Amino acid sequence: MSMRRFGLVGRPLVHSASARYFAAKFEREGIAGCRYDLFPLREIGELRRLTDEIPDLCGFNVTIPYKRRILPLLDALSPEAERIGAVNCVRCDGGRLIGYNTDVEGLRASLDELLADDRPEEALVLGTGGASQAVQYVLAERELPFALVSRDPLRGNFTYDNLPGEEVARCRLIVQATPVGTFPRADEAPRLPYDALTPRHRLFDLVYNPPLTRFLELGRQRGARTMNGERMFVRQAEASWRIWNG
């Protein structure tokens, strides 16, 4: 029986739980003849060499910094991935690479749990990369207005240097969609006026390693309700598995 191969493409991958997650899933569910590996690529141009070298590759996930850079290398996109403009899941279909976005499924479930019946008037999204694009898509679905904070003044409504405390106070949902605070640099947090946070704030960090990021810890100190990216991680992983086996 030939081995069915899966994996994760990105750089760096030291923080990722994907290989452990799928190894545990295969064992728990008695799934034989499958393996999931980490494929750190120095640049996304190495992707074709990877797929040529591993003809048994059935599908793979995509993480930072390649969720957008991979688009020109794909043969097709799901309609949703096309609208989002970012991909985190690729299905290998007879030599063709088809891109999907399963982050949105994890985001919808996470926001449902974090917000419950609460509906913030406005949201603040930290970051403008591929993960942020999925966040923006889900917020737009909910008709929840948002502003973007970026290091690049051309891509966001604010930079971290000119973000007013009043804006942070007004935006009761803050979504952290950058890698800041990810293991091993767990002591870092986005530069925000944290003293503007209140117990009415809801903070969602897409990072899941460590489980309590500095960003979330600073929010908790001010009474905010917080959630990390673990639920999102699990939901997007299971959605990817369904796509690869669909």
Side-chain angles (χ1 to χ4, degrees):
M1 179 171 135
S2 68
M3 180 70 70
R4 297 179 71 222
R5 301 281 301 273
F6 305 91
L8 175 68
V9 164
R11 172 182 60 85
L13 298 177
V14 64
H15 70 283
S16 175
S18 294
R20 290 194 304 277
Y21 179 84
F22 277 102
K25 176 183 174 65
F26 296 156
E27 187 169 351
R28 183 176 67 246
E29 299 179 18
I31 299 168
C34 291
R35 61 179 282 183
Y36 188 106
D37 297 291
L38 301 181
F39 302 119
L41 302 185
R42 279 171 312 197
E43 55 179 21
I44 194 59
E46 297 176 359
L47 181 67
R48 279 297 176 184
R49 179 178 56 77
L50 177 73
T51 55
D52 289 346
E53 285 175 1
I54 307 177
D56 298 331
L57 191 64
C58 300
F60 55 92
N61 292 117
V62 184
T63 189
I64 289 167
Y66 299 138
K67 290 185 180 187
R68 287 191 306 204
R69 294 183 207 172
I70 195 171
L71 296 183
L73 302 178
L74 301 177
D75 298 294
L77 293 174
S78 74
E80 198 160 60
E82 192 161 4
R83 289 195 294 271
I84 294 163
V87 157
N88 75 309
C89 171
V90 175
R91 179 174 167 177
C92 307
D93 193 359
R96 297 176 78 240
L97 300 180
I98 305 167
Y100 299 82
N101 194 304
T102 63
D103 279 341
V104 289
E105 191 163 325
L107 285 163
R108 289 174 186 132
S110 299
L111 287 175
D112 283 347
E113 183 177 323
L114 177 64
L115 298 178
D117 296 330
D118 186 16
R119 184 179 166 82
E121 302 72 34
E122 212 173 320
L124 201 59
V125 181
L126 311 182
T128 49
S132 169
Q133 285 179 250
V135 172
Q136 294 170 48
Y137 180 83
V138 171
L139 293 178
E141 273 183 338
R142 292 169 184 241
E143 299 180 347
L144 210 165
F146 58 86
L148 301 174
V149 186
S150 177
R151 290 176 303 182
D152 181 350
L154 298 177
R155 294 181 62 186
N157 303 92
F158 303 98
T159 67
Y160 294 95
D161 293 322
N162 70 11
L163 177 62
E166 310 84 77
E167 185 70 15
V168 173
R170 189 169 70 245
C171 297
R172 292 195 301 108
L173 172 63
I174 303 180
V175 183
Q176 208 295 94
T178 81
V180 173
T182 305
F183 175 84
R185 303 175 73 167
D187 56 336
E188 297 179 0
R191 285 184 296 112
L192 299 179
Y194 287 95
D195 54 0
L197 296 177
T198 69
R200 296 185 69 232
H201 277 78
R202 305 289 179 258
L203 269 56
F204 177 32
D205 198 331
L206 273 57
V207 174
Y208 58 83
N209 181 11
L212 182 62
T213 59
R214 183 79 180 128
F215 166 73
L216 294 182
E217 188 180 7
L218 289 165
R220 281 190 184 181
Q221 287 172 10
R222 285 151 186 87
R225 188 172 174 192
T226 64
M227 175 179 266
N228 68 19
E230 183 161 2
R231 170 176 287 270
M232 175 179 165
F233 166 75
V234 171
R235 289 293 286 261
Q236 65 79 23
E238 291 297 332
S240 295
W241 182 248
R242 289 195 298 274
I243 285 167
W244 297 331
N245 294 281

